[in-house]
C-alpha cells in the first residue's frame, strides 16, 4: 500500500488550514476515512475470504471423516483452533 501526501494549501480552505497550523505547524497529519467508509479486516487483501474458504475446507474434511489430529498436521493449527473452526457456525464466522 502506498501513501500519497497532499499539501494542505492545495486541498483545504484557507481558514481551516490556518486553524490546523495553530495545532500542528509543519507536521504531517493522518486524516482517517469516516468509519462507514472503511473496509473491514482482511477485505482489501483477500485474507478474510481465504480464511473463510480454509475454514469451510476444514469443516468439510472433518465431516468426511478426518480426525482433529490429521487436520492439525495438514493445516498447522492447534487442536483447539481446529475444534473452534469445526463447531463455529458460518454466520458467526462471517461477521466483521
Amino acid at each position: 500500500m502506498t501513501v500519497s501526501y497532499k499539501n494542505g494549501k492545495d486541498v483545504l480552505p484557507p481558514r481551516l488550514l490556518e486553524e490546523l497550523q495553530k495545532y500542528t505547524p509543519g507536521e504531517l497529519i493522518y486524516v482517517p476515512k469516516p468509519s462507514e467508509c472503511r473496509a473491514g479486516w482482511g477485505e482489501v487483501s483477500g485474507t478474510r475470504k481465504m480464511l473463510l474458504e480454509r475454514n469451510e475446507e476444514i469443516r468439510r474434511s472433518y465431516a468426511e471423516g478426518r480426525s482433529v489430529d490429521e487436520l492439525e498436521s495438514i493445516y498447522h493449527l492447534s487442536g483447539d483452533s481446529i475444534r473452534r473452526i469445526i463447531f463455529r457456525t458460518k454466520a458467526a464466522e462471517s461477521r466483521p
Side-chain angles (χ1 to χ4, degrees), residues 55-92:
N55 292 352
E56 186 55 39
E57 190 176 301
I58 289 171
R59 283 190 204 92
R60 192 172 32 257
S61 294
Y62 182 77
E64 292 171 356
R66 288 203 187 259
S67 70
V68 170
D69 288 338
E70 287 177 291
L71 295 171
E72 281 182 59
S73 64
I74 293 169
Y75 294 98
H76 307 286
L77 295 170
S78 70
D80 287 340
S81 293
I82 295 289
R83 281 186 278 284
R84 208 174 6 259
I85 290 167
I86 291 168
F87 299 112
R88 182 179 292 159
T89 64
K90 282 175 86 170

Side-chain angles (χ1 to χ4, degrees), residues 32-52:
K33 292 180 182 179
S35 58
E36 64 272 3
C37 295
R38 294 184 64 189
W41 177 87
E43 289 177 356
V44 174
S45 67
T47 302
R48 170 172 272 183
K49 182 179 182 210
M50 187 266 311
L51 289 176
L52 289 172

